[in-house]
Amino acid sequence: MGRKVTVATCALNQWALDFEGNLQRILKSIEIAKQKGARYRLGPELEICGYGCWDHYHESDTLLHSLQVLAALLESPVTQDIICDVGMPVMHRNVRYNCRVIFLNRKILLVRPKMALANGGNYHELRWFTPWSRSRQTEEYFLPRMIQDLTKQETVPFGDAVLATRDTCIGSEICEELWTPHSPHVDMGLDGVEIFTNASGSHHVLRKAHTRVDLVTMATAKNGGIYLLANQKGCDGDRLYYDGCAMIAMNGSVFAQGSQFSLDDVASRVSPYPRVKVDFALSCHEDLLEPLSEPVEWKYHSAGEEISLGPACWLWDFLRRSQQAGFFLPLSGGVDSAATACLVYSMCRQVCEAVKNGNPEVLADVRTIVNEPSYAPEDPRELCGRILTTCYMASENSSRETSTRAGDLAQQIGSHHISLSIDPAVRAVVGIFSLVTGRSPLFAVHGGSSRENLALQNVQARLRMVIAYLFAQLSLWSRGARGGLLVLGSANVDESLLGYLTKYDCSSADINPIGGISKTDLRAFIQYCIEHFQLSALQGILAAPATAELEPLTDGQVSQTDEEDMGMTYAELSVYGRLRKVAKTGPYSMFCKLLHMWKDSCSPRQVADKVKRFFSKYSMNRHKMTTLTPAYHAENYSPDDNRFDLRPFLYNAGWPWQFRCIENQVLQLERRERQNLDGMD
């Protein structure tokens, strides 16, 4: 007599870090499974936090909130009388694993860590997780107290094990393990396992579904049994589309298939190092009279000096290897573009110094760049005039002060300087819009809405980028010289982190030498240039408030400052940046750290408001990081999306779960404060 089992798999449209929404979608899938009579429900890989958390897996917040959702699932009446198999990150003995947590009626049966991690192409799992390497072995996992209180268990099995129910035997695979040459299901099947489950976070590639189906059906063709595959579905915050394809196969045939494209939401061990024998000695027998090396004192550079050297050398390498004839820089009269101009000037100083010291390679390279076989640079200002073109792009919203500051700096470093007005281009582009729509947008000071105000600022910023590239391509042609110029960007790391820049404005360039440098360090670099390069024009630039000058002037004076616009200071931004990336904090743990760091200057409520404002703006603007100009890597809190700081760029910018945790803490602290005051009465 054959036994009949009802099992359910699903494809969920999970969203990275949307713990609230992910919980609801998991509960809904369990509810549907129970309605259909299923006794076992399998969900996608890492479904509690969403697969695409990227470097958020390093944050303790991601682990904490995953445990909170697990607690909510254990507590829910929906999860009663059905074996639930959910995916989440778990920290065991200080090592992070990609796990399945399998539970029934408020009891955790097994925590099964992934044994083969996906680490090619778009997958970087080894960056965040450790593979479980102890085949067919388990350890005791001590449950966190919040879970112990619910399950009344102190420890549960953690490792490579199977579930033996009264009537069958169930074994787990996780995503990549199905794709490995020796998948766990092979040995499990030989050991009597009848039901194999696979939770996946597998993204769409043309014709990949064929391979996936073949692998699942082949898994049961040889050994027999039932194979369930669950997968994530939809875009969960970055470039990838997870394409569902949940399926159930038995004895070599597919028995159930979920849709592929749809808009529905539903080890650490210590062992001795091996020794490699090398038949060679680094000392000789007669070494008694050999002189000893004397210790030297290491020379440390100040931050300003480091910036004057590192990025300047990077610029030189980029220039000579790209075989371009120089640089083009939009010079606004502010700190950032001035710092970028000073880096090129510093580069010219180093080139002249190297030539003076007889460096033949540098001399050959500089002759190639300026296209003069007998040229020998002696004066950095003269060299700067040949290879740097600066351009002040005025609009009706520009002040005379910034124009003067830009011109003075250009004159002191010797760059070829152009001053032009972008107003005719702005009027022409806005005119096209008015012609088509019959509507004319206005700035806020003239009665316009915030949407009109922002659009009018952005059109100026973007036209500057278009003009910059036109001049970079044809400026030398117009002067009868050969070659083109590399466009330099000048958005600093703090502005990038917050997204305080217009997408495809002058932050879009060929390279950005200051993109990994904080505003604080840039100011130190400007001060260094004043002192060491005798550039007095920088004093006015350093003293002036930072401003984008995109809104109309008030009585000829700047009415808009960066820090007012951002709602935070540059100093605060540097703190947020380091906590987010270096200390690996999410909203809640950043709040907890800042409570202590700022306890003398801010109340818990003020700290909470600041953290919420930062994370809201950061997450709303994260998409801008995907188009960030390649920048010199100088700061370990760089938000460079392409290589270094891997995150989703479509967030739930309300952060409902995380902000609620902060809010609960603030209320608790405020309540305690009131009680203390009452006690004093």
Side-chain angles (χ1 to χ4, degrees):
M1 177 69 184
R3 290 154 293 144
K4 291 180 183 174
V5 295
T6 307
V7 289
T9 182
C10 58
L12 299 187
N13 195 343
Q14 301 299 69
W15 190 5
L17 300 182
D18 182 21
F19 293 98
E20 187 78 52
N22 292 350
L23 170 62
Q24 297 312 319
R25 284 181 284 270
I26 292 168
L27 285 170
K28 187 179 173 189
S29 72
I30 296 169
E31 217 163 356
I32 293 167
K34 283 174 74 174
Q35 283 165 12
K36 296 189 181 292
R39 307 279 288 167
Y40 182 101
R41 174 268 183 200
L42 172 74
E45 187 174 14
L46 295 163
E47 60 185 311
I48 282 180
C49 53
Y51 184 83
C53 291
W54 299 88
D55 279 9
H56 289 290
Y57 285 120
H58 290 310
E59 296 169 1
S60 60
D61 283 29
T62 306
L63 295 161
L64 168 68
H65 299 320
S66 295
L67 285 168
Q68 290 170 334
V69 172
L70 177 62
L73 287 168
L74 285 162
E75 244 180 330
S76 170
V78 174
T79 62
Q80 297 302 296
D81 301 319
I82 182 168
I83 295 177
C84 296
D85 186 334
V86 298
M88 61 182 272
V90 174
M91 185 82 88
H92 173 55
R93 296 188 174 179
N94 275 345
V95 179
R96 199 180 301 101
Y97 295 95
N98 172 350
C99 291
R100 306 304 300 167
V101 178
I102 305 169
F103 62 92
L104 170 66
N105 293 340
R106 286 201 179 193
K107 296 285 183 213
I108 293 174
L109 307 171
L110 173 68
V111 180
R112 166 36 168 107
K114 192 170 181 178
M115 298 172 75
L117 298 180
N119 214 57
N122 282 311
Y123 294 102
H124 305 270
E125 288 180 15
L126 283 170
R127 184 179 169 100
W128 313 299
F129 301 112
T130 298
W132 179 255
S133 57
R134 301 177 58 193
S135 177
R136 302 189 223 190
Q137 291 182 47
T138 63
E139 293 177 353
E140 289 299 296
Y141 170 68
F142 283 80
L143 290 172
R145 198 176 308 145
M146 73 168 90
I147 305 296
Q148 282 187 28
D149 293 344
L150 287 170
T151 67
K152 310 302 179 204
Q153 300 164 284
E154 191 183 4
T155 63
V156 294
F158 183 102
D160 184 21
V162 298
L163 295 183
T165 64
R166 289 196 294 258
D167 52 355
T168 187
C169 197
I170 305 165
S172 284
E173 283 186 337
I174 306 174
C175 197
E176 179 75 359
E177 292 168 356
L178 170 64
W179 302 71
T180 56
H182 190 92
S183 299
H185 70 254
V186 177
D187 289 344
M188 284 183 200
L190 294 170
D191 200 28
V193 172
E194 296 175 312
I195 299 173
F196 310 91
T197 65
N198 186 310
S200 280
S202 180
H203 66 80
H204 174 246
V205 177
L206 288 172
R207 289 173 287 279
K208 180 175 174 180
H210 297 76
T211 317
R212 199 185 285 144
V213 173
D214 286 350
L215 285 167
V216 169
T217 50
M218 284 302 293
T220 61
K222 291 184 287 188
N223 264 1
I226 300 169
Y227 200 105
L228 287 81
L229 181 114
N231 194 17
Q232 189 159 302
K233 182 169 60 179
C235 164
D236 85 337
D238 60 18
R239 293 176 176 82
L240 306 182
Y241 181 88
Y242 296 90
D243 58 337
C245 282
M247 68 183 98
I248 299 175
M250 185 165 72
N251 299 344
S253 304
V254 174
F255 278 71
Q257 179 192 348
S259 62
Q260 184 171 14
F261 302 100
S262 117
L263 297 177
D264 292 346
D265 265 356
V266 162
S268 62
R269 292 184 297 183
V270 179
S271 51
Y273 285 93
R275 295 326 191 232
V276 179
K277 293 179 181 174
V278 183
D279 190 16
F280 181 73
L282 295 184
S283 61
C284 56
H285 292 300
E286 290 76 33
D287 60 359
L288 191 62
L289 299 175
E290 290 290 318
L292 290 168
S293 298
E294 290 296 320
V296 294
E297 190 173 334
W298 186 269
K299 183 185 180 301
Y300 293 98
H301 298 294
S302 68
E305 191 180 7
E306 269 190 82
I307 294 167
S308 77
L309 298 169
C313 293
W314 182 76
L315 282 173
W316 174 247
D317 277 349
F318 215 101
L319 180 60
R320 65 193 180 86
R321 288 173 176 164
S322 64
Q323 300 181 333
Q324 298 299 301
F327 298 114
F328 182 91
L329 172 67
L331 190 63
S332 68
V335 165
D336 295 341
S337 61
T340 306
C342 289
L343 282 173
V344 178
Y345 180 65
S346 176
M347 181 197 85
C348 292
R349 286 172 61 99
Q350 289 179 66
V351 168
C352 290
E353 189 69 22
V355 169
K356 186 177 157 191
N357 293 338
N359 187 317
E361 288 89 359
V362 172
L363 182 60
D365 283 332
V366 80
R367 285 173 172 172
T368 303
I369 289 164
V370 300
N371 198 30
E372 275 189 34
S374 58
Y375 176 68
E378 292 174 6
D379 175 17
R381 289 186 73 254
E382 187 272 335
L383 175 59
C384 198
R386 288 171 177 262
I387 62 177
L388 176 63
T389 299
T390 50
C391 181
Y392 182 79
M393 302 189 205
S395 77
E396 59 187 18
N397 304 316
S398 304
S399 64
R400 192 179 287 110
E401 288 80 9
T402 51
S403 171
T404 304
R405 288 196 287 266
D408 288 351
L409 178 62
Q411 189 269 324
Q412 287 183 10
I413 63 173
S415 67
H416 177 83
H417 190 60
I418 303 165
S419 204
L420 56 83
S421 169
I422 64 168
D423 287 336
V426 174
R427 280 195 292 272
V429 171
V430 175
I432 293 169
F433 178 83
S434 300
L435 195 66
V436 172
T437 63
R439 304 285 304 275
S440 294
L442 298 171
F443 281 105
V445 294
H446 301 143
S449 65
S450 60
R451 276 195 291 179
E452 295 166 67
N453 198 56
L454 191 59
L456 287 172
Q457 291 183 66
N458 286 346
V459 76
Q460 296 168 72
R462 290 189 175 116
L463 282 170
R464 285 188 172 117
M465 184 272 288
V466 173
I467 291 165
Y469 270 94
L470 176 65
F471 274 79
Q473 285 181 292
L474 294 180
S475 177
L476 294 179
W477 166 80
S478 71
R479 288 181 257 160
R482 67 152 203 107
L485 303 173
L486 286 166
V487 179
L488 295 179
S490 54
N492 64 60
V493 72
D494 299 321
E495 288 171 348
S496 299
L497 175 66
L498 196 68
Y500 183 64
L501 47 88
T502 300
K503 205 175 191 179
Y504 306 118
D505 68 350
C506 282
S507 63
S508 293
D510 293 315
I511 50 172
N512 178 359
I514 68 161
I517 305 173
S518 72
K519 191 78 162 188
T520 311
D521 286 338
L522 286 173
R523 295 180 74 84
F525 168 59
I526 293 283
Q527 189 61 49
Y528 175 88
C529 294
I530 293 170
E531 293 165 12
H532 292 82
F533 300 163
Q534 287 74 52
L535 300 174
S536 57
L538 291 171
Q539 285 170 329
I541 291 171
L542 204 53
T547 171
E549 289 199 329
L550 294 170
E551 292 189 52
L553 303 172
T554 309
D555 302 325
Q557 297 301 305
V558 169
S559 60
Q560 173 189 33
T561 68
D562 289 357
E563 293 191 336
E564 274 176 40
D565 261 6
M566 295 188 301
M568 58 195 77
T569 66
Y570 279 108
E572 286 173 341
L573 251 180
S574 284
V575 173
Y576 300 143
R578 287 193 174 86
L579 286 175
R580 181 198 72 94
K581 178 69 181 171
V582 184
K584 302 180 176 69
T585 63
Y588 179 66
S589 43
M590 183 182 289
F591 165 74
C592 295
K593 281 186 184 291
L594 289 175
L595 260 186
H596 295 285
M597 282 172 66
W598 292 349
K599 66 177 186 293
D600 296 332
S601 55
C602 295
S603 70
R605 171 67 59 195
Q606 287 170 323
V607 174
D609 289 345
K610 284 172 183 285
V611 170
K612 288 177 187 177
R613 188 182 304 120
F614 166 70
F615 271 99
S616 296
K617 291 200 171 190
Y618 158 75
S619 54
M620 273 190 277
N621 288 322
R622 180 69 202 195
H623 65 95
K624 295 178 183 178
M625 297 309 93
T626 61
T627 58
L628 218 52
T629 297
Y632 178 85
H633 185 85
E635 187 54 80
N636 57 7
Y637 68 89
S638 164
D640 169 25
D641 186 79
N642 298 301
R643 300 288 167 86
F644 179 65
D645 188 43
L646 307 180
R647 313 272 166 154
F649 51 86
L650 177 63
Y651 281 91
N652 181 344
W655 302 82
W657 190 282
Q658 294 90 332
F659 284 4
R660 190 163 58 244
C661 289
I662 293 175
E663 193 58 29
N664 291 341
Q665 283 299 315
V666 172
L667 292 171
Q668 224 172 310
L669 290 164
E670 287 176 344
R671 206 176 301 125
R672 200 178 302 158
E673 181 76 12
R674 279 196 301 273
Q675 285 168 354
N676 290 344
L677 289 170
D678 292 346
M680 286 166 71
D681 294 346

